Amino acid sequence: FRNVTGVQTCALPICFLKALESRDPTTPICALLDLNMPGLSGIEVQQKLNHKRQTIPVAFITGFGQVHTAVQAFKQGAIDFIQKPFEEKTVCDVVRKMLASAKQAQKEHGQFNELHTRFKSLTPREVEVLDLIVAGCINKEVGEKLGISIKTVEAHRAAVTVKLKVNRPAALVEIALKYRDMLKQRKH
């Protein structure tokens, strides 16, 4: 792998963890870890990544695979678990799979950040109006529930559509539900 452009290897787990601190966050990365490494085991490195909320796809290679260790690795989010001896093609396929996963995660992260910025621009009253619209209330009901006029509801609704960059009512509900789903996924 050392002859492949863009591939960086680290002999020690601590070097890998330090390299992560200065990496370019726009470059998708993955980790192919041996279970038995000097200093920290592959499982311990995976735990540190998870603890730091690093969303890096991880796969393991080992010559001493044990079922309970493999189960633990998968429960912590491992993509694959490869037994030694292995074929280079197998490892390359797993790395491609992990990099594709990393690219998808970066894309989703970018989409979340974009939506998050839009939603953070809403005033508290605009959020209240949006919540009632998403709940299925018409302008008159929103006004009654919030104690404001229909004209004020319409003004808030117009501001929300501009700030969220939507141009139709269905898109307003759709983007609000999408953002809520993304928030739930991030909390888990």
PDB file of all heavy atoms in Angstrom, residues 96-114:
ATOM      1  N   ARG A  96     -11.791   0.467  -0.453  1.00  0.00           N
ATOM      2  CA  ARG A  96     -12.684   1.204  -1.365  1.00  0.00           C
ATOM      3  C   ARG A  96     -14.066   1.389  -0.731  1.00  0.00           C
ATOM      4  O   ARG A  96     -14.651   2.469  -0.797  1.00  0.00           O
ATOM      5  CB  ARG A  96     -12.816   0.476  -2.696  1.00  0.00           C
ATOM      6  CG  ARG A  96     -11.711   0.757  -3.649  1.00  0.00           C
ATOM      7  CD  ARG A  96     -11.997   0.188  -5.047  1.00  0.00           C
ATOM      8  NE  ARG A  96     -10.746  -0.093  -5.702  1.00  0.00           N
ATOM      9  CZ  ARG A  96     -10.103  -1.262  -5.670  1.00  0.00           C
ATOM     10  NH1 ARG A  96     -10.627  -2.288  -5.061  1.00  0.00           N
ATOM     11  NH2 ARG A  96      -8.944  -1.409  -6.270  1.00  0.00           N
ATOM     12  N   LYS A  97     -14.565   0.320  -0.137  1.00  0.00           N
ATOM     13  CA  LYS A  97     -15.871   0.374   0.526  1.00  0.00           C
ATOM     14  C   LYS A  97     -15.861   1.395   1.667  1.00  0.00           C
ATOM     15  O   LYS A  97     -16.795   2.195   1.820  1.00  0.00           O
ATOM     16  CB  LYS A  97     -16.223  -1.018   1.058  1.00  0.00           C
ATOM     17  CG  LYS A  97     -17.546  -1.144   1.750  1.00  0.00           C
ATOM     18  CD  LYS A  97     -17.753  -2.595   2.194  1.00  0.00           C
ATOM     19  CE  LYS A  97     -18.990  -2.788   3.026  1.00  0.00           C
ATOM     20  NZ  LYS A  97     -19.133  -4.184   3.474  1.00  0.00           N
ATOM     21  N   MET A  98     -14.790   1.396   2.463  1.00  0.00           N
ATOM     22  CA  MET A  98     -14.700   2.338   3.582  1.00  0.00           C
ATOM     23  C   MET A  98     -14.587   3.777   3.085  1.00  0.00           C
ATOM     24  O   MET A  98     -15.203   4.677   3.652  1.00  0.00           O
ATOM     25  CB  MET A  98     -13.520   1.985   4.484  1.00  0.00           C
ATOM     26  CG  MET A  98     -13.738   0.726   5.301  1.00  0.00           C
ATOM     27  SD  MET A  98     -12.500   0.489   6.600  1.00  0.00           S
ATOM     28  CE  MET A  98     -10.984   0.305   5.676  1.00  0.00           C
ATOM     29  N   LEU A  99     -13.799   4.003   2.024  1.00  0.00           N
ATOM     30  CA  LEU A  99     -13.662   5.363   1.495  1.00  0.00           C
ATOM     31  C   LEU A  99     -14.974   5.860   0.901  1.00  0.00           C
ATOM     32  O   LEU A  99     -15.313   7.037   1.042  1.00  0.00           O
ATOM     33  CB  LEU A  99     -12.523   5.435   0.481  1.00  0.00           C
ATOM     34  CG  LEU A  99     -11.129   5.333   1.079  1.00  0.00           C
ATOM     35  CD1 LEU A  99     -10.069   5.289  -0.017  1.00  0.00           C
ATOM     36  CD2 LEU A  99     -10.852   6.481   2.042  1.00  0.00           C
ATOM     37  N   ALA A 100     -15.727   4.968   0.261  1.00  0.00           N
ATOM     38  CA  ALA A 100     -17.048   5.353  -0.254  1.00  0.00           C
ATOM     39  C   ALA A 100     -17.960   5.740   0.906  1.00  0.00           C
ATOM     40  O   ALA A 100     -18.709   6.727   0.823  1.00  0.00           O
ATOM     41  CB  ALA A 100     -17.657   4.211  -1.070  1.00  0.00           C
ATOM     42  N   SER A 101     -17.883   4.991   1.983  1.00  0.00           N
ATOM     43  CA  SER A 101     -18.666   5.290   3.177  1.00  0.00           C
ATOM     44  C   SER A 101     -18.248   6.637   3.768  1.00  0.00           C
ATOM     45  O   SER A 101     -19.093   7.447   4.181  1.00  0.00           O
ATOM     46  CB  SER A 101     -18.485   4.172   4.209  1.00  0.00           C
ATOM     47  OG  SER A 101     -19.134   4.483   5.409  1.00  0.00           O
ATOM     48  N   ALA A 102     -16.951   6.906   3.799  1.00  0.00           N
ATOM     49  CA  ALA A 102     -16.438   8.174   4.329  1.00  0.00           C
ATOM     50  C   ALA A 102     -16.897   9.351   3.474  1.00  0.00           C
ATOM     51  O   ALA A 102     -17.279  10.400   3.998  1.00  0.00           O
ATOM     52  CB  ALA A 102     -14.911   8.136   4.415  1.00  0.00           C
ATOM     53  N   LYS A 103     -16.879   9.168   2.159  1.00  0.00           N
ATOM     54  CA  LYS A 103     -17.336  10.237   1.256  1.00  0.00           C
ATOM     55  C   LYS A 103     -18.817  10.525   1.471  1.00  0.00           C
ATOM     56  O   LYS A 103     -19.237  11.677   1.497  1.00  0.00           O
ATOM     57  CB  LYS A 103     -17.069   9.856  -0.199  1.00  0.00           C
ATOM     58  CG  LYS A 103     -15.624   9.926  -0.592  1.00  0.00           C
ATOM     59  CD  LYS A 103     -15.410   9.467  -2.017  1.00  0.00           C
ATOM     60  CE  LYS A 103     -13.930   9.394  -2.341  1.00  0.00           C
ATOM     61  NZ  LYS A 103     -13.676   8.816  -3.673  1.00  0.00           N
ATOM     62  N   GLN A 104     -19.606   9.470   1.625  1.00  0.00           N
ATOM     63  CA  GLN A 104     -21.043   9.642   1.863  1.00  0.00           C
ATOM     64  C   GLN A 104     -21.283  10.358   3.194  1.00  0.00           C
ATOM     65  O   GLN A 104     -22.123  11.252   3.281  1.00  0.00           O
ATOM     66  CB  GLN A 104     -21.758   8.290   1.846  1.00  0.00           C
ATOM     67  CG  GLN A 104     -23.256   8.373   2.054  1.00  0.00           C
ATOM     68  CD  GLN A 104     -23.984   9.153   0.976  1.00  0.00           C
ATOM     69  OE1 GLN A 104     -23.578   9.195  -0.179  1.00  0.00           O
ATOM     70  NE2 GLN A 104     -25.063   9.813   1.359  1.00  0.00           N
ATOM     71  N   ALA A 105     -20.529   9.985   4.214  1.00  0.00           N
ATOM     72  CA  ALA A 105     -20.669  10.626   5.523  1.00  0.00           C
ATOM     73  C   ALA A 105     -20.303  12.111   5.443  1.00  0.00           C
ATOM     74  O   ALA A 105     -20.972  12.953   6.051  1.00  0.00           O
ATOM     75  CB  ALA A 105     -19.798   9.915   6.564  1.00  0.00           C
ATOM     76  N   GLN A 106     -19.261  12.439   4.671  1.00  0.00           N
ATOM     77  CA  GLN A 106     -18.870  13.842   4.500  1.00  0.00           C
ATOM     78  C   GLN A 106     -19.965  14.625   3.781  1.00  0.00           C
ATOM     79  O   GLN A 106     -20.269  15.759   4.145  1.00  0.00           O
ATOM     80  CB  GLN A 106     -17.577  13.954   3.698  1.00  0.00           C
ATOM     81  CG  GLN A 106     -16.342  13.748   4.527  1.00  0.00           C
ATOM     82  CD  GLN A 106     -15.092  13.997   3.726  1.00  0.00           C
ATOM     83  OE1 GLN A 106     -15.008  13.667   2.553  1.00  0.00           O
ATOM     84  NE2 GLN A 106     -14.098  14.573   4.375  1.00  0.00           N
ATOM     85  N   LYS A 107     -20.557  14.001   2.776  1.00  0.00           N
ATOM     86  CA  LYS A 107     -21.643  14.652   2.029  1.00  0.00           C
ATOM     87  C   LYS A 107     -22.810  14.940   2.967  1.00  0.00           C
ATOM     88  O   LYS A 107     -23.356  16.047   2.982  1.00  0.00           O
ATOM     89  CB  LYS A 107     -22.085  13.752   0.878  1.00  0.00           C
ATOM     90  CG  LYS A 107     -23.203  14.309   0.034  1.00  0.00           C
ATOM     91  CD  LYS A 107     -23.592  13.340  -1.058  1.00  0.00           C
ATOM     92  CE  LYS A 107     -24.843  13.813  -1.773  1.00  0.00           C
ATOM     93  NZ  LYS A 107     -25.336  12.815  -2.724  1.00  0.00           N
ATOM     94  N   GLU A 108     -23.195  13.943   3.765  1.00  0.00           N
ATOM     95  CA  GLU A 108     -24.304  14.113   4.707  1.00  0.00           C
ATOM     96  C   GLU A 108     -23.970  15.158   5.769  1.00  0.00           C
ATOM     97  O   GLU A 108     -24.832  15.940   6.162  1.00  0.00           O
ATOM     98  CB  GLU A 108     -24.656  12.772   5.350  1.00  0.00           C
ATOM     99  CG  GLU A 108     -25.295  11.805   4.383  1.00  0.00           C
ATOM    100  CD  GLU A 108     -25.432  10.393   4.916  1.00  0.00           C
ATOM    101  OE1 GLU A 108     -25.095  10.143   6.098  1.00  0.00           O
ATOM    102  OE2 GLU A 108     -25.852   9.522   4.133  1.00  0.00           O
ATOM    103  N   HIS A 109     -22.717  15.179   6.216  1.00  0.00           N
ATOM    104  CA  HIS A 109     -22.285  16.168   7.202  1.00  0.00           C
ATOM    105  C   HIS A 109     -22.405  17.581   6.617  1.00  0.00           C
ATOM    106  O   HIS A 109     -22.872  18.508   7.285  1.00  0.00           O
ATOM    107  CB  HIS A 109     -20.853  15.880   7.642  1.00  0.00           C
ATOM    108  CG  HIS A 109     -20.343  16.784   8.701  1.00  0.00           C
ATOM    109  ND1 HIS A 109     -20.785  16.728  10.004  1.00  0.00           N
ATOM    110  CD2 HIS A 109     -19.435  17.796   8.653  1.00  0.00           C
ATOM    111  CE1 HIS A 109     -20.168  17.657  10.716  1.00  0.00           C
ATOM    112  NE2 HIS A 109     -19.356  18.320   9.920  1.00  0.00           N
ATOM    113  N   GLY A 110     -22.008  17.737   5.367  1.00  0.00           N
ATOM    114  CA  GLY A 110     -22.117  19.029   4.694  1.00  0.00           C
ATOM    115  C   GLY A 110     -23.572  19.469   4.558  1.00  0.00           C
ATOM    116  O   GLY A 110     -23.901  20.641   4.775  1.00  0.00           O
ATOM    117  N   GLN A 111     -24.441  18.522   4.197  1.00  0.00           N
ATOM    118  CA  GLN A 111     -25.866  18.831   4.082  1.00  0.00           C
ATOM    119  C   GLN A 111     -26.433  19.241   5.438  1.00  0.00           C
ATOM    120  O   GLN A 111     -27.208  20.196   5.531  1.00  0.00           O
ATOM    121  CB  GLN A 111     -26.640  17.624   3.546  1.00  0.00           C
ATOM    122  CG  GLN A 111     -26.376  17.327   2.098  1.00  0.00           C
ATOM    123  CD  GLN A 111     -27.014  16.014   1.645  1.00  0.00           C
ATOM    124  OE1 GLN A 111     -27.405  15.177   2.451  1.00  0.00           O
ATOM    125  NE2 GLN A 111     -27.103  15.833   0.341  1.00  0.00           N
ATOM    126  N   PHE A 112     -26.039  18.527   6.483  1.00  0.00           N
ATOM    127  CA  PHE A 112     -26.521  18.869   7.823  1.00  0.00           C
ATOM    128  C   PHE A 112     -26.061  20.271   8.212  1.00  0.00           C
ATOM    129  O   PHE A 112     -26.846  21.074   8.719  1.00  0.00           O
ATOM    130  CB  PHE A 112     -26.048  17.857   8.869  1.00  0.00           C
ATOM    131  CG  PHE A 112     -26.409  18.277  10.266  1.00  0.00           C
ATOM    132  CD1 PHE A 112     -27.698  18.098  10.742  1.00  0.00           C
ATOM    133  CD2 PHE A 112     -25.476  18.897  11.085  1.00  0.00           C
ATOM    134  CE1 PHE A 112     -28.054  18.514  12.018  1.00  0.00           C
ATOM    135  CE2 PHE A 112     -25.819  19.318  12.356  1.00  0.00           C
ATOM    136  CZ  PHE A 112     -27.113  19.128  12.829  1.00  0.00           C
ATOM    137  N   ASN A 113     -24.792  20.565   7.991  1.00  0.00           N
ATOM    138  CA  ASN A 113     -24.277  21.886   8.359  1.00  0.00           C
ATOM    139  C   ASN A 113     -25.013  22.999   7.629  1.00  0.00           C
ATOM    140  O   ASN A 113     -25.314  24.044   8.208  1.00  0.00           O
ATOM    141  CB  ASN A 113     -22.768  21.975   8.105  1.00  0.00           C
ATOM    142  CG  ASN A 113     -21.970  21.225   9.137  1.00  0.00           C
ATOM    143  OD1 ASN A 113     -22.456  20.901  10.217  1.00  0.00           O
ATOM    144  ND2 ASN A 113     -20.735  20.918   8.808  1.00  0.00           N
ATOM    145  N   GLU A 114     -25.304  22.773   6.360  1.00  0.00           N
ATOM    146  CA  GLU A 114     -26.050  23.755   5.567  1.00  0.00           C
ATOM    147  C   GLU A 114     -27.440  23.976   6.153  1.00  0.00           C
ATOM    148  O   GLU A 114     -27.869  25.114   6.375  1.00  0.00           O
ATOM    149  CB  GLU A 114     -26.147  23.285   4.108  1.00  0.00           C
ATOM    150  CG  GLU A 114     -27.112  24.070   3.254  1.00  0.00           C
ATOM    151  CD  GLU A 114     -26.649  25.484   2.926  1.00  0.00           C
ATOM    152  OE1 GLU A 114     -25.440  25.752   2.996  1.00  0.00           O
ATOM    153  OE2 GLU A 114     -27.523  26.315   2.610  1.00  0.00           O
TER     154      GLU A 114
END
